[in-house]
Amino acid sequence: MSTQPSAAEGTVALSAVELDRRRYRRQRAWRSTAIAAVSTLVFAGVLLVAVTHAPGWEQVKSTYFSGSQFSDSFPRVLHGLWTNLRILAVAEAIILPVGLTVAALRTVKGAVFFPVRGILTVYVDVFRGIPLIVLLYLIGFGIPALGESWLPSSGITLGTVCLVLSYGAYHAEVFRAGILSVHPSQRAAARSLGLNHAQTMRLVVLPQAVRAVIPPLLNDFVSLQKDVGLVSILGVIDAVRAAQIDNYSTYNYTPYVVAALLFIVLAIPSARFADYMLARQIRRQQAGAVV
Amino acid sequence: MTAVLNVSGVRKDFGDVPVLRGIDLQVSEGTVVALIGGSGSGKSTLLRCINLLEVVTDGVIRLDGEDITDPRVDADQVRRRIGVVFQSYNLFPHMSALRNVSLAPRVVGKLAKADAESRARELLARVGLADKANAYPDRLSGGQQQRTAIARALANDPRLLLLDEVTSALDPELVGEVLDLIKELKAQGMTIVMATHEMGFAREIADQVCFLDQGVVAESGPPEQVLGNPSSPRLRQFLSRVLRHE
Ligand SMILES: Nc1ncnc2c1ncn2[C@@H]1O[C@H](COP(=O)(O)OP(=O)(O)OP(=O)(O)O)[C@@H](O)[C@H]1O
Ligand SMILES: [Mg+2]
């Protein structure tokens, strides 16, 4: 392993020009921080004054921001969120391989695979096209209505199936974009070594494709986290449903604020992780500078 | 003795643009053939046809006497017998040098991991990169990447090595190390077809130089004849253009 020779900074005294440049940069950094802080404060102040002086503010404050309601609902909504998390984990664990398989199979050439490609194209078009909520109504209520005892009937299972169908189609497109982003010369290099299509896909194309699409996948994942809440329409007591139950009995909307805060807290790690992965990818691309 | 490679009457059209219009080429065992010609003359296309990365429009290509342009032959099987090195290396960026080189022996040659890796280490040592086995391509210099690519191309023990302008993406001071390696391969008896813009190198190493022009091999023969005493005005013009930059 070669190590980069590090610049021997500090061993040589810096010139007056460089010292001046550094002083200027520090000053500029300090100034922009100050400007950002002041403008944020002013903006927040204006917003606060505007909201609290609205004619309905007292009413809004007691129905949306009631402290006692908050602490009363919090444990129930949090418990509901646990259901969301379980559905999320199971769904994503199925969605990832489904999406990757669909995307990979869509690239297989040859007449034998024509029907497979056709079916998968229809699958992606259909399930990306149907709004998730409509899918939940159709499958979530349609399947139990068939009355077949061997078919699943629980809201959690059917809701998870809908999430898998819908997000499987989204993930498949993300993976396909990743596959297409791998330069054809990589495929040529692998094939020229005598690897067949499947080996080339598995060992050369997919590993690079997956790496390339981690940020957009995480983006889809954040959106899935929120959409898990829609399974509440099938009667699953998730965070949204738990908040709704409290709301129906008290006519107070604070439980929804609790749910909103919990969903935000859930989304932040994924969002930061997506940012981190994206930054890392950009750094790599710049360092790699592939011809 | 049958030639390792025999190209006869090969044509290749892209859409309705003819690029190769009837190429004839014989390469006997242990010889080096240099393909020269202007940019767009079809050198890369010919190499891609030989490696079955392109389907020929017409004509026949034989490898050790076997017609490899027959659609009934297994293309993967043919490609295993031919090593290719590309201008832009095309190393797999997500694999270390060792894995790049050991991939084919493992997957294609069905060697056990340890055997494939010891073979890959041998090859890396042969190209002078024993100490870079664990380095990823983005940590290697251009010359080191290209030497890794050559080691990778040798991993299947090919009958024939195709080199497509393997030095033209390299800084001048790195060209030498790659050319020295190719000379060594020739000394070890490897059969090589190479597209090149390095006329000096072609003169030094090639047994036969072929000038591709307007889709055919317009002139071919030993380097001193083709490069030293060109008969057609087009080749003279081409040579004066390239040599001016050398
Ligand atoms: N896939 C393709 N589709 C259409 N045209 C192509 C394709 N590949 C190559 N060509 C054309 O074929 C001609 C020959 O290209 P080729 O890459 O073989 O030239 P070359 O001799 O290798 O040139 P260079 O010295 O610049 O590498 C060019 O005019 C090119 O535009
Ligand atoms: Mg070329």
Side-chain angles (χ1 to χ4, degrees):
Chain A
M1 282 263 127
S2 65
T3 48
Q4 299 287 331
S6 60
E9 198 175 303
T11 57
V12 180
L14 294 165
S15 69
V17 186
E18 176 59 24
L19 287 173
D20 183 54
R21 283 197 291 244
R22 292 190 180 193
R23 201 172 313 120
Y24 172 72
R25 281 195 207 108
R26 263 198 309 276
Q27 247 172 28
R28 200 177 44 180
W30 190 87
R31 250 178 54 131
S32 37
T33 312
I35 291 173
V38 169
S39 65
T40 308
L41 279 177
V42 169
F43 183 75
V46 168
L47 199 66
L48 192 69
V49 169
V51 170
T52 54
H53 282 71
W57 170 241
E58 281 310 317
Q59 177 72 27
V60 167
K61 197 170 138 189
S62 61
T63 36
Y64 286 86
F65 302 105
S66 147
S68 58
Q69 185 64 53
F70 191 98
S71 43
D72 185 40
S73 295
F74 190 83
R76 281 190 295 280
V77 177
L78 186 64
H79 188 258
L81 192 75
W82 173 236
T83 306
N84 291 58
L85 282 174
R86 273 163 29 216
I87 296 178
L88 178 70
V90 172
E92 185 68 15
I94 306 173
I95 291 166
L96 282 172
V98 164
L100 190 60
T101 310
V102 169
L105 285 178
R106 283 186 75 184
T107 67
V108 180
K109 296 196 180 69
V112 192
F113 287 94
F114 180 78
V116 177
R117 283 198 305 271
I119 289 168
L120 295 178
T121 308
V122 171
Y123 159 69
V124 169
D125 285 353
V126 167
F127 288 95
R128 269 200 320 164
I130 303 180
L132 181 57
I133 193 157
V134 175
L135 192 64
L136 283 163
Y137 279 123
L138 294 179
I139 289 184
F141 297 122
I143 298 283
L146 287 174
E148 288 279 11
S149 57
W150 54 272
L151 285 171
S153 59
S154 89
I156 290 196
T157 311
L158 290 171
T160 308
V161 167
C162 293
L163 291 169
V164 167
L165 286 172
S166 183
Y167 275 82
Y170 281 115
H171 271 28
E173 284 304 276
V174 172
F175 279 124
R176 198 161 71 102
I179 290 171
L180 294 176
S181 78
V182 176
H183 198 272
S185 63
Q186 286 286 308
R187 228 160 298 187
R191 296 309 294 271
S192 73
L193 288 173
L195 273 65
N196 61 30
H197 177 91
Q199 292 164 335
T200 301
M201 248 353 222
R202 184 165 56 84
L203 298 164
V204 174
V205 178
L206 290 181
Q208 295 184 60
V210 168
R211 252 160 259 223
V213 297
I214 287 175
L217 281 180
L218 282 167
N219 200 34
D220 269 9
F221 182 69
V222 173
S223 153
L224 175 65
Q225 286 179 351
K226 292 179 296 175
D227 280 353
V228 169
L230 287 173
V231 301
S232 61
I233 66 168
L234 301 183
V236 177
I237 303 184
D238 76 321
V240 177
R241 184 71 177 180
Q244 198 177 34
I245 290 169
D246 276 14
N247 164 254
Y248 284 175
S249 59
T250 61
Y251 301 104
N252 191 293
Y253 287 84
T254 307
Y256 286 123
V257 174
V258 174
L261 287 176
L262 288 175
F263 274 107
I264 292 172
V265 169
L266 196 59
I268 287 172
S270 318
R272 286 292 78 77
F273 187 60
D275 284 355
Y276 164 77
M277 292 301 289
L278 192 62
R280 200 177 75 151
Q281 200 176 71
I282 289 168
R283 252 201 330 275
R284 284 223 175 139
Q285 274 162 3
Q286 283 165 351
V290 187
V291 195
Chain B
M1 189 183 78
T2 58
V4 173
L5 180 74
N6 186 326
V7 177
S8 68
V10 160
R11 297 205 298 114
K12 176 68 191 174
D13 301 345
F14 285 111
D16 37 54
V17 182
V19 173
L20 304 180
R21 303 163 183 254
I23 300 279
D24 295 304
L25 185 66
Q26 289 252 1
V27 185
S28 13
E29 177 127 36
T31 62
V32 174
V33 171
L35 302 175
I36 61 169
S39 184
S41 59
K43 303 178 295 292
S44 299
T45 304
L46 177 58
L47 295 178
R48 291 174 64 85
C49 286
I50 296 171
N51 194 39
L52 305 183
L53 288 172
E54 301 283 356
V55 178
V56 297
T57 307
D58 200 356
V60 174
I61 300 173
R62 289 177 193 282
L63 183 66
D64 282 324
E66 179 195 4
D67 177 4
I68 57 170
T69 39
D70 185 331
R72 279 159 293 209
V73 305
D74 177 359
D76 295 328
Q77 189 55 49
V78 171
R79 293 196 192 101
R80 284 166 208 180
R81 287 146 58 195
I82 302 176
V84 187
V85 184
F86 301 89
Q87 179 176 351
S88 48
Y89 336 129
N90 300 359
L91 290 178
F92 306 128
H94 60 298
M95 297 181 188
S96 65
L98 186 69
R99 276 206 64 210
N100 263 282
V101 181
S102 64
L103 181 70
R106 278 183 69 181
V107 178
V108 175
K110 304 272 182 257
L111 289 189
K113 185 170 185 238
D115 297 338
E117 288 189 349
S118 74
R119 164 142 185 76
R121 280 183 202 282
E122 263 165 46
L123 286 163
L124 284 172
R126 194 162 151 198
V127 300
L129 291 175
D131 56 331
K132 296 290 181 189
N134 295 318
Y136 280 78
D138 62 1
R139 289 298 170 85
L140 297 173
S141 74
Q144 292 168 339
Q145 288 188 55
Q146 195 56 297
R147 284 186 283 147
T148 306
I150 292 173
R152 183 177 70 175
L154 294 174
N156 283 331
D157 246 330
R159 276 293 281 156
L160 173 68
L161 196 58
L162 306 178
L163 309 177
D164 192 355
E165 289 183 33
V166 291
T167 57
S168 60
L170 297 177
D171 290 339
E173 76 264 32
L174 300 177
V175 168
E177 63 186 56
V178 173
L179 296 186
D180 287 344
L181 176 57
I182 298 170
K183 259 185 266 177
E184 234 169 83
L185 292 175
K186 176 188 159 98
Q188 290 158 5
M190 182 59 76
T191 311
I192 299 174
V193 178
M194 57 177 205
T196 185
H197 282 153
E198 303 270 341
M199 295 307 147
F201 184 61
R203 188 190 293 262
E204 183 183 341
I205 193 180
D207 299 290
Q208 188 189 348
V209 175
C210 298
F211 174 55
L212 255 63
D213 188 37
Q214 298 179 321
V216 297
V217 178
E219 240 178 287
S220 97
E224 36 308 346
Q225 178 199 317
V226 175
L227 300 175
N229 188 16
S231 59
S232 73
R234 284 185 67 93
L235 177 53
R236 269 199 293 276
Q237 198 186 8
F238 169 75
L239 290 176
S240 72
R241 247 184 310 134
V242 246
L243 294 176
R244 208 177 312 139
H245 296 292
E246 277 204 355

